[in-house]
Amino acid sequence: LTYQNLAQEYFHIPVVTRTYTTACVLTTAAMQLEVISPFQLYFNPELIIRRYQIWRLVTSFLFFGSLGFGFIFNIIFLYRYCRMLEEDCFRGRTADFVFLFLFGGILITLLGLFANIFFLGQAFIVMLVYVWSQRHPLLRMNFFGLLSFRAPLLPWVLMGCSLLLGNSVAVDLLGICVGHVYYFLEDVFPNQPGGRKLLTTPELRVLFDQEDDSNRRLLQEDEDLQRRN
């Protein structure tokens, strides 16, 4: 592949997935090159409040450990499920997808105050996986050729893997809980008798109107082309 082809493929990735994945990779690269230290990145409410180190609210979501199997595993899951959500469930709705990021990030941060978790990125990935899995309830999955199950079980399979590896399952449970809150408020409660939509995307939509309109036109053109065929 030439540089031009790689660049085209990179910019073909949806904007939210591209931005978040790139930020995670660059953060880990900077740490490996010793430009920054994990001690400057982790979630520390006391330093955030008393020392005004506000950046920790963001950097705690960008670091998945030093370069190794854990980092690669998390980046693959982040890229795969974030992209599938953005291209499928949120296609043409960039502002709504950004709102999911903000809602999930804020809730994970608030709950993280009580969970004593220093890096929140893995919980965020599990949240994305949970939302995606609930929106594909009939899809069958194969996990490393060992397990076959329906998509909604995927977050629990990931938690089981954490347990087998001797890792704390608090991070997975945090992501599952936040993912379920979003899914319930967005997809379940509005469809219940007497229910209504409680989550409304704020004025962020103005920032993404042009891109969303462009995506909607592409969707309409695809539908028109399918009808003609």
Side-chain angles (χ1 to χ4, degrees):
L1 290 176
T2 65
Y3 171 79
Q4 185 176 4
N5 290 336
L6 288 173
Q8 288 178 346
E9 182 61 29
Y10 175 75
F11 285 105
H12 185 67
I13 301 171
V15 61
V16 179
T17 302
R18 182 173 71 239
T19 302
Y20 185 36
T21 305
T22 300
C24 293
V25 172
L26 291 179
T27 300
T28 299
M31 194 281 298
Q32 290 292 128
L33 295 173
E34 299 184 351
V35 176
I36 56 176
S37 164
F39 295 105
Q40 298 172 290
L41 307 175
Y42 76 98
F43 181 63
N44 186 318
E46 183 176 351
L47 292 177
I48 293 170
I49 296 171
R50 295 188 178 182
R51 302 281 184 88
Y52 306 108
Q53 296 182 3
I54 307 299
W55 67 82
R56 293 179 184 273
L57 293 172
V58 176
T59 57
S60 59
F61 286 93
L62 303 180
F63 186 66
F64 300 107
S66 58
L67 191 62
F69 176 77
F71 168 78
I72 295 173
F73 184 84
N74 280 306
I75 285 294
I76 289 174
F77 264 76
L78 165 61
Y79 173 78
R80 176 178 172 81
Y81 290 98
C82 188
R83 181 168 185 169
M84 287 196 296
L85 271 175
E86 189 169 2
E87 290 184 334
D88 183 11
C89 303
F90 290 91
R91 189 176 183 186
R93 298 166 50 216
T94 304
D96 293 334
F97 194 46
V98 171
F99 179 64
L100 165 60
F101 265 58
L102 292 175
F103 177 86
I106 291 171
L107 194 53
I108 286 173
T109 299
L110 292 175
L111 294 176
L113 293 171
F114 307 99
N116 197 31
I117 297 173
F118 298 118
F119 292 101
L120 306 173
Q122 189 175 336
F124 192 82
I125 293 175
V126 174
M127 179 204 71
L128 294 177
V129 171
Y130 186 91
V131 173
W132 176 86
S133 67
Q134 292 300 316
R135 291 187 170 183
H136 298 82
L138 301 179
L139 183 65
R140 293 206 65 84
M141 306 196 67
N142 191 290
F143 195 73
F144 293 117
L146 300 174
L147 293 173
S148 179
F149 51 88
R150 293 194 185 276
L153 290 177
L154 179 58
W156 302 100
V157 171
L158 293 178
M159 188 177 74
C161 289
S162 295
L163 193 62
L164 290 174
L165 292 173
N167 299 327
S168 171
V169 298
V171 174
D172 300 271
L173 285 174
L174 178 57
I176 288 172
C177 289
V178 173
H180 184 72
V181 169
Y182 177 85
Y183 171 72
F184 179 81
L185 294 177
E186 180 71 14
D187 293 4
V188 178
F189 184 69
N191 297 316
Q192 299 295 314
R196 60 191 179 91
K197 188 173 176 62
L198 298 176
L199 297 181
T200 303
T201 301
E203 293 306 314
L204 285 170
R205 195 180 301 279
V206 175
L207 300 174
F208 300 99
D209 271 347
Q210 184 175 359
E211 182 173 352
D212 287 350
D213 289 343
S214 175
N215 288 335
R216 289 190 187 99
R217 284 196 296 272
L218 290 173
L219 283 172
Q220 187 61 49
E221 289 173 3
D222 289 344
E223 291 173 359
D224 293 342
L225 184 61
Q226 289 176 2
R227 291 193 192 100
R228 294 193 193 101
N229 293 335

